[in-house]
Amino acid sequence: MRNLLKLEEAAIFLLSIYLFSILDFAWWWFPALLLVPDIGMIGYLFSPKVGAFIYNLFHHRLAAAGVACYGLVFENEYWILAGIILFAHISFDRMMGYGLKFNDSFHHTHLGGIGKIDKS
């Protein structure tokens, strides 16, 4: 099942690349912006609860869909670009095993634990 989910995420990532190619932006914008949504990790400087909320806001497909739809409705390529980048980033993260965060720890995600988990 895990491999099937990774394949699904890879398909969404490839679709994001295709949708980006339709826009009128230079190719280098895609890799340059791909990791920008990780700015959401800054919330972890305050607490795991704040960190999880902000991280999840930047890594939730509903938020990405809202951004993309806003761009489509108002015919704004920058908002469409932001939505595509969010979808691509989320899919890339999930292929790597990074999921939405629970309030207790950065390492506790909806896809399971990530990184080294201290069992002491």
Side-chain angles (χ1 to χ4, degrees), residues 60-105:
H60 198 285
R61 286 206 175 102
L62 182 59
V67 169
C69 285
Y70 181 88
L72 289 170
V73 167
F74 293 101
E75 298 178 4
N76 185 312
E77 271 200 331
Y78 294 100
W79 281 87
I80 295 169
L81 171 65
I84 290 171
I85 292 298
L86 284 168
F87 273 111
H89 177 84
I90 292 165
S91 293
F92 186 76
D93 266 8
R94 303 235 172 114
M95 280 190 298
M96 298 297 129
Y98 294 95
L100 297 173
K101 309 301 183 199
F102 287 97
N103 290 339
D104 59 341
S105 167

Side-chain angles (χ1 to χ4, degrees), residues 20 56 99-100:
F20 172 80
N56 290 343
L100 297 173

